[in-house]
Amino acid sequence: MIFLNRAAIENMISLEEVMDSVEDAFLAYENNNFEMPDRIHVNNKENTLLYMPCFTNEIFGTKSLTIFPKNSQIGKPVIDGFMTLNDPNTGEPLAMIDGKTLTELRTGAVGGVGAKHLSERNSSTLGLIGAGVQGFQQILFISKVRPIKKVKIYGSNIEKLKDFSSRLKKKIDIEVVICGSAEEVLEGTDIVITATSSENPVLPNKAGLLKGKTFIGIGSYKPTMREFPKEIYSLLDRIYTDTYFAKEESGDLCYPLSEGLIKEEQIHTIGSFMSNKEKKIDETVFFKSVGMALLDIYVAKTIYEKAVGLNIGQKINI
Amino acid sequence: MIFLNRAAIENMISLEEVMDSVEDAFLAYENNNFEMPDRIHVNNKENTLLYMPCFTNEIFGTKSLTIFPKNSQIGKPVIDGFMTLNDPNTGEPLAMIDGKTLTELRTGAVGGVGAKHLSERNSSTLGLIGAGVQGFQQILFISKVRPIKKVKIYGSNIEKLKDFSSRLKKKIDIEVVICGSAEEVLEGTDIVITATSSENPVLPNKAGLLKGKTFIGIGSYKPTMREFPKEIYSLLDRIYTDTYFAKEESGDLCYPLSEGLIKEEQIHTIGSFMSNKEKKIDETVFFKSVGMALLDIYVAKTIYEKAVGLNIGQKINI
């Protein structure tokens, strides 16, 4: 068995390769080439253990994460854990992959793939609400698929925004504007990402400000969490998601469905959009991602195969 | 994080230490000093993934196993996987422990602790039905707590029995008798272990042959599995189990309960017996184990702490 930590993964794989794997996963989702049991939550006090198994014909595995919200107060990652990959014929473990890095990469890649298929080709200004780990990745990935020159960021903590900005500018050549409000973020942006843990809308409830942009919603993975205001739904013909479960998992879909603001038939997967030959992009676009184990297993498989080919990774004598 | 494989574990820990940890777990079970969510099964074709989380005040962790029944046909272990131990305050992984070795040791230790508390002190002849990995461990552990001179074994495959016998004699100084039937195993034995995957009783339905012995049932961890015949229940005042869940999980308890052969109030945990000052052993004793994550976490914690103290284990750069 090999162990692949952050350094091994990041030195080996490009963001483009991660996005290719995510696209493969979206197409496999349409073709039903997998078995993905419901993700399993175990709660203990304020903490959660998450087990996300997934089986394909070629490999299977489980992403096992710990989610400790109070870790953010002591500067430790909230999400930790591993993806285990197993031989589909014998169950024997093949690899363990750092779950933090895998989750960051695949979530970033989902945004990147979303922007690639659902935003205007010449989009150059990006907005971001929520200056956390996921927001950072979103910018890196989207910058690979669109000619992004400027990013406008907003969050509740100015010190975090400043740190985010300086880290981002060290990583890629980009202009970063720290905004005083979400409204300011919307001014002149082509693509807007929300990546918060908010339970209430983080964007202004003003159709005029929301119109004509591509929105990518990364937070709101529970019915109690919401990032998007009512008015956005009046602008949408179609809503894109990564999985059909998103309708039950995300407050940004449960809420407008229960309020009658959208109809279920307006919701389509990005995989179905990608499979469709006619790819007309609507004026205002909303892509809501909740993630799924199928994305993890596809990205993990790519990482594992590359590591084997390059003889990278710590050998574990099991 | 450290990784502890079979060699590291077996070189470091004694069977007595494993039994001490199992006793601690049985007492913790009585005192409710833990949180143990239901074990989680994920089925895929004929295979099963099993996640067994458990939390104590000092540590938590998950035993994640793959169960691939057809592996036995190609000489590979049916059960594989790991126990992950985590810091209870941050969730950070501390150690991974080979799940095969841990499961073997803690299951063996359960039998050993059962024999220690529930068999006559001078028991010297042991019977075993089912010559698999678990049966092997049962003999090693019980030999540590009782002056076992002879073991009588029976199973469906004579070649497996011969191999079992020669491996056992290499490991400990013991007389091994290969029997032609389960009836023959019962003749003159003080303690009888059943460690099969049978769905039907593996012992003869004859009260006269069963009377006066201590039985330890290790198979039958599902309602559809049974190892014990009807007649045994007529001989029992009390039945001992490791957990109260055993009433629902084991066919050896579900069946006699549903048939009215025993009453629920006859079932007691071994932990309650251990806590009780008056320890009268009945003429015929039946201890039925189904295992639980609490046993794993206690044994794993002992292994981990010893490894840290001795600076043993492969360091994994997470």
Side-chain angles (χ1 to χ4, degrees):
Chain A
M1 187 172 74
I2 55 172
F3 188 89
L4 296 165
N5 62 14
R6 182 181 293 275
I9 298 166
E10 289 185 345
N11 287 335
M12 177 175 70
I13 202 152
S14 70
L15 304 194
E16 287 85 352
E17 287 170 307
V18 181
M19 284 190 277
D20 286 347
S21 303
V22 162
E23 287 188 328
D24 289 344
F26 283 147
L27 294 174
Y29 186 72
E30 297 308 310
N31 297 323
N32 253 309
N33 281 339
F34 63 95
E35 252 194 78
M36 182 167 59
D38 287 348
R39 63 175 93 183
I40 301 149
H41 297 257
V42 170
N43 296 309
N44 183 259
K45 296 177 205 157
E46 73 276 14
N47 307 315
T48 306
L49 308 189
L50 199 61
Y51 310 100
M52 296 170 70
C54 192
F55 302 80
T56 71
N57 294 332
E58 292 160 324
I59 208 157
F60 80 91
T62 304
K63 191 166 77 169
S64 305
L65 299 180
T66 51
I67 305 174
F68 275 56
K70 286 188 184 161
N71 277 6
S72 62
Q73 296 166 13
I74 51 168
K76 297 212 172 203
V78 168
I79 292 178
D80 210 332
F82 313 102
M83 174 100 202
T84 311
L85 288 178
N86 305 70
D87 182 299
N89 297 312
T90 63
E92 289 168 294
L94 302 170
M96 296 193 71
I97 296 175
D98 174 41
K100 298 184 291 295
T101 311
L102 177 65
T103 303
E104 285 171 33
L105 286 175
R106 71 91 152 142
T107 308
V110 165
V113 169
K116 176 180 165 188
H117 292 281
L118 297 168
S119 75
E120 294 296 341
R121 279 193 176 279
N122 54 0
S123 300
S124 62
T125 305
L126 197 57
L128 170 70
I129 314 288
V133 172
Q134 291 308 338
F136 198 87
Q137 292 292 330
Q138 294 295 318
I139 296 170
L140 300 184
F141 276 90
I142 294 173
S143 296
K144 289 284 179 188
V145 298
R146 289 294 177 256
I148 304 299
K149 301 274 175 291
K150 190 203 284 192
V151 58
K152 301 178 76 174
I153 62 175
Y154 175 64
S156 51
N157 182 327
I158 184 71
E159 291 309 317
K160 261 182 97 175
L161 288 170
K162 282 181 186 166
D163 173 60
F164 186 97
S165 169
S166 80
R167 281 187 294 117
L168 188 61
K169 281 191 280 194
K170 267 181 213 150
K171 195 101 179 175
I172 53 173
D173 180 24
I174 200 164
E175 182 192 348
V176 183
V177 180
I178 296 176
C179 297
S181 70
E183 282 202 26
E184 200 184 324
V185 169
L186 291 179
E187 280 164 29
T189 44
D190 304 304
I191 303 172
V192 178
I193 302 145
T194 57
T196 74
S197 56
S198 179
E199 302 204 334
N200 295 298
V202 295
L203 292 170
N205 193 31
K206 293 176 184 168
L209 292 179
L210 301 167
K211 196 173 178 177
K213 300 178 194 300
T214 291
F215 292 92
I216 299 175
I218 297 295
S220 179
Y221 55 86
K222 290 183 189 173
T224 52
M225 298 170 88
R226 283 178 65 201
E227 298 188 297
F228 286 83
K230 275 187 175 187
E231 282 290 323
I232 193 172
Y233 302 101
S234 68
L235 301 169
L236 303 168
D237 290 329
R238 288 174 287 196
I239 293 169
Y240 296 98
T241 64
D242 45 1
T243 83
Y244 285 111
F245 303 115
K247 288 185 280 195
E248 283 116 55
E249 289 180 1
S250 169
D252 281 332
L253 297 177
C254 306
Y255 176 80
L257 278 168
S258 72
E259 294 287 303
L261 301 174
I262 53 168
K263 295 200 183 83
E264 218 170 311
E265 51 268 33
Q266 284 178 267
I267 299 174
H268 302 270
T269 57
I270 187 166
S272 68
F273 179 86
M274 287 164 57
S275 314
N276 205 323
K277 276 182 189 159
E278 209 186 301
K279 288 198 179 61
K280 188 190 153 288
I281 299 173
D282 297 328
E283 191 185 3
T284 308
V285 176
F286 179 30
F287 172 44
K288 173 61 209 151
S289 168
V290 291
M292 59 174 158
L294 186 64
L295 298 167
D296 294 302
I297 196 99
Y298 265 76
V299 174
K301 180 171 176 276
T302 301
I303 291 170
Y304 167 65
E305 286 173 349
K306 195 141 190 203
V308 170
L310 296 168
N311 200 22
I312 284 174
Q314 191 179 350
K315 265 116 202 125
I316 298 180
N317 181 10
I318 60 169
Chain B
M1 187 172 74
I2 55 171
F3 187 89
L4 296 164
N5 63 14
R6 181 182 293 275
I9 298 166
E10 289 185 345
N11 287 336
M12 179 175 69
I13 202 153
S14 71
L15 304 194
E16 287 85 351
E17 286 170 307
V18 181
M19 284 190 279
D20 286 348
S21 303
V22 162
E23 286 188 330
D24 289 344
F26 283 147
L27 294 174
Y29 187 74
E30 296 308 310
N31 297 322
N32 254 308
N33 281 338
F34 64 95
E35 250 193 81
M36 182 167 60
D38 287 348
R39 62 175 93 181
I40 300 149
H41 298 257
V42 170
N43 296 309
N44 184 260
K45 295 177 206 157
E46 73 275 14
N47 307 314
T48 306
L49 308 189
L50 200 61
Y51 309 101
M52 296 171 68
C54 192
F55 301 82
T56 72
N57 294 332
E58 292 160 323
I59 208 157
F60 79 91
T62 304
K63 192 167 76 168
S64 305
L65 299 180
T66 51
I67 305 173
F68 274 56
K70 286 188 184 161
N71 277 6
S72 62
Q73 296 166 13
I74 52 169
K76 297 213 171 201
V78 169
I79 292 178
D80 210 333
F82 313 103
M83 174 101 201
T84 311
L85 288 178
N86 304 71
D87 182 300
N89 298 312
T90 63
E92 288 167 295
L94 302 171
M96 296 193 70
I97 296 176
D98 174 41
K100 297 184 290 295
T101 311
L102 176 65
T103 304
E104 284 170 33
L105 286 175
R106 70 91 151 141
T107 309
V110 165
V113 169
K116 176 180 165 188
H117 292 281
L118 297 168
S119 75
E120 293 297 339
R121 279 193 175 277
N122 53 1
S123 300
S124 62
T125 306
L126 196 57
L128 171 70
I129 315 288
V133 171
Q134 292 307 338
F136 199 87
Q137 292 293 330
Q138 294 295 317
I139 297 170
L140 300 185
F141 277 91
I142 294 173
S143 297
K144 289 284 179 188
V145 298
R146 289 295 177 257
I148 304 298
K149 300 275 174 294
K150 189 204 286 192
V151 58
K152 301 177 77 174
I153 63 175
Y154 174 65
S156 52
N157 182 327
I158 183 72
E159 291 309 317
K160 261 183 95 175
L161 289 170
K162 282 181 186 165
D163 173 60
F164 186 98
S165 169
S166 80
R167 281 187 294 118
L168 188 61
K169 282 191 279 194
K170 268 181 213 149
K171 194 99 180 175
I172 53 174
D173 179 26
I174 200 165
E175 181 191 349
V176 183
V177 180
I178 296 176
C179 297
S181 69
E183 282 202 24
E184 200 185 324
V185 169
L186 290 179
E187 281 165 29
T189 44
D190 304 303
I191 303 172
V192 178
I193 302 144
T194 57
T196 74
S197 56
S198 180
E199 303 205 332
N200 295 297
V202 295
L203 292 170
N205 193 31
K206 293 175 184 170
L209 292 178
L210 301 167
K211 195 174 179 177
K213 300 179 194 300
T214 290
F215 292 92
I216 299 175
I218 297 296
S220 180
Y221 55 86
K222 290 182 189 174
T224 52
M225 298 169 88
R226 283 179 64 202
E227 297 188 297
F228 286 84
K230 276 186 172 189
E231 282 289 322
I232 193 171
Y233 302 101
S234 68
L235 301 169
L236 303 168
D237 290 329
R238 289 175 286 196
I239 293 170
Y240 296 98
T241 65
D242 45 2
T243 83
Y244 284 111
F245 303 114
K247 287 186 280 195
E248 282 116 55
E249 288 180 1
S250 169
D252 281 333
L253 297 178
C254 306
Y255 176 81
L257 278 168
S258 71
E259 293 287 303
L261 301 173
I262 53 168
K263 295 201 183 80
E264 218 171 309
E265 51 267 34
Q266 284 177 267
I267 299 174
H268 302 271
T269 56
I270 186 165
S272 68
F273 179 87
M274 287 165 57
S275 314
N276 205 324
K277 276 183 188 157
E278 209 185 302
K279 288 199 181 58
K280 188 191 153 287
I281 298 172
D282 298 328
E283 192 185 4
T284 308
V285 177
F286 178 30
F287 173 43
K288 173 61 210 150
S289 168
V290 290
M292 58 175 159
L294 187 65
L295 298 167
D296 294 301
I297 197 100
Y298 265 77
V299 175
K301 179 171 177 277
T302 301
I303 291 170
Y304 168 65
E305 286 173 350
K306 195 142 189 201
V308 170
L310 296 169
N311 200 22
I312 284 174
Q314 190 179 352
K315 265 115 202 127
I316 298 179
N317 181 9
I318 58 170

